[in-house]
Amino acid sequence: MTTHAEDTGEAEETFPYERACPFAPPAQYAQFEKEPVKQVPLPTGLKIWAVTGHENMRQLLTDPRTSASRREANFPFYFNAPPEFRTETSFIGYDGREHTTTRRKAAVTFTNRQVQRLRPRIEEIVDKAIDAMLEAGPGVDMHHALSLPVPMTVICLLLGIPYEDHEFFQVNGTTLLGGTATMEERQAALVDVNEYLFGLVAKKEQEPGDDLLSRAIAEYREAGEEYEARDLVNLCRLLMNGGHETTASMISLGTACLLEHPDQLAQLKADPELIVPAVEELVRYLTIGDAAVPRVAMDDIEVGGAVIPKGDGILCLGLTANRDPAVFENPDDLILSRGNRRHFGFGHGVHHCIGADLARLELQLVWSRLFERIPTLRLAKPFEEIPSKERAIIYGLWGLPVTWDV
Ligand code: HEM
């Protein structure tokens, strides 16, 4: 665990904290019970405001006096971000009109109606990954055999990226979001991914296909709007990063969680319709994006008994909202049939996850097909021995060794 030397000379623990158990909030979250909105230091030395609890987080994320702009001096980066990490963003880092107009370019692809149309394609992708697992096993690392390739194949399909380039994006995506890469490695990954995507944009301008990127280009042209290739590159990179590491982490951590809660898993196996509330509950319970909802106060903002001064950085800790007993009864229990969708596992407010319905469908299909086709699936080593991504922006596991009976 890293520490930060305070002006007082005392060492203070930096955020994000380790989860001693991947299914429980870090023990340090107990400090927020007394002080739900509180300053904590990041590894860079910057002090930011942790906003915790369901009501405080709801209030903050619907307050128009907050900004998601990476250009703000006190934006909560976990590393000393070089200039390109502040400027090369897309709508996740935009506010107001710029956010709405750019988000709209992608939104049509991610409506629930459009997503449901993909069901047969995604089912095929999931089944192929399970076929490959069955052929290679028993005894495989499911994270690499299924969790990473399934969302990667889906997002490449949506963006019109050829299948043979998956590996390239998988490796670079982990470098950008995995939490262990050096700054030089992150910068190199950003350069490589951008170079590839500039080439892709140029290709789609010449030979449009049936994909999000080609549709965005056509929209600009039909409206007679000027656009820069860089904007489309940034949009694609956001969707690649947003749609890959997150869903992959949910698949692996969620599978481990189900296997470690055999009574709940038995209910799911007995009643396949339980899969819809089960996905919702696992997204709530695990909140892999707990460290991934950053903002900056654009005015003095009063929330949870504190005043966040104008210009200060903020992190909204979704795990605290999602374990808030005022909203979720017995919040620390995994109850697949809970049926409470008021969680913030996909964020809240204008930046609510654009890919939430796509992620839901991928998770539903993965767990339905996985436990139907491999009913004896189990961990190949004790859960405590599987390393987790402690300092990552998106929480998860580094691998998932599984086995089954033949
Ligand atoms: C936003 C979580 C899957 C693309 C967010 C946010 C969270 C989140 C917490 C809010 C960030 C903020 O407020 O600053 C997740 C989780 C996923 C998932 C847990 C999987 C289980 C996806 C998928 C895609 C995607 C599949 C796309 C293919 C995005 C984008 C945003 C976003 C583009 C920014 C939205 C905006 O700023 O308007 N996600 N996400 N995510 N997510 Fe996801």
Side-chain angles (χ1 to χ4, degrees), residues 37-95:
V37 177
K38 184 176 189 287
Q39 278 192 297
V40 294
L42 296 184
T44 56
L46 181 74
K47 277 208 159 193
I48 54 94
W49 292 83
V51 171
T52 71
H54 199 275
E55 178 49 29
N56 294 332
M57 188 161 159
R58 189 202 60 74
Q59 187 194 321
L60 203 280
L61 291 177
T62 49
D63 192 322
R65 297 169 301 165
T66 56
S67 168
S69 173
R70 276 63 179 154
R71 292 188 182 91
E72 289 297 327
N74 290 333
F75 182 84
F77 281 106
Y78 292 110
F79 47 87
N80 288 310
E84 65 268 33
F85 280 78
R86 292 187 175 274
T87 53
E88 295 207 15
T89 181
S90 187
F91 60 92
I92 198 166
Y94 295 163
D95 299 326

Side-chain angles (χ1 to χ4, degrees), residues 57 106 112 144 172 339 356:
M57 188 161 159
N112 193 30
H144 290 89
N172 284 301

Side-chain angles (χ1 to χ4, degrees), residues 61 70 91-93 99 103 110 155 158 238-239 242-244 246-247 250 283 288-289 292-295 344-348 350-356 358-359 362-363:
L61 291 177
R70 276 63 179 154
F91 60 92
I92 198 166
H99 170 258
R103 179 170 165 129
F110 294 98
I155 196 70
L158 293 180
L238 169 63
L239 294 169
H244 181 226
T246 48
T247 315
M250 252 325 280
V283 170
I288 57 165
V293 183
R295 296 292 184 270
F344 295 153
F346 290 114
H348 186 66
V350 290
H351 290 280
H352 180 265
C353 179
I354 200 172
L358 176 63
E362 289 183 50
L363 295 170

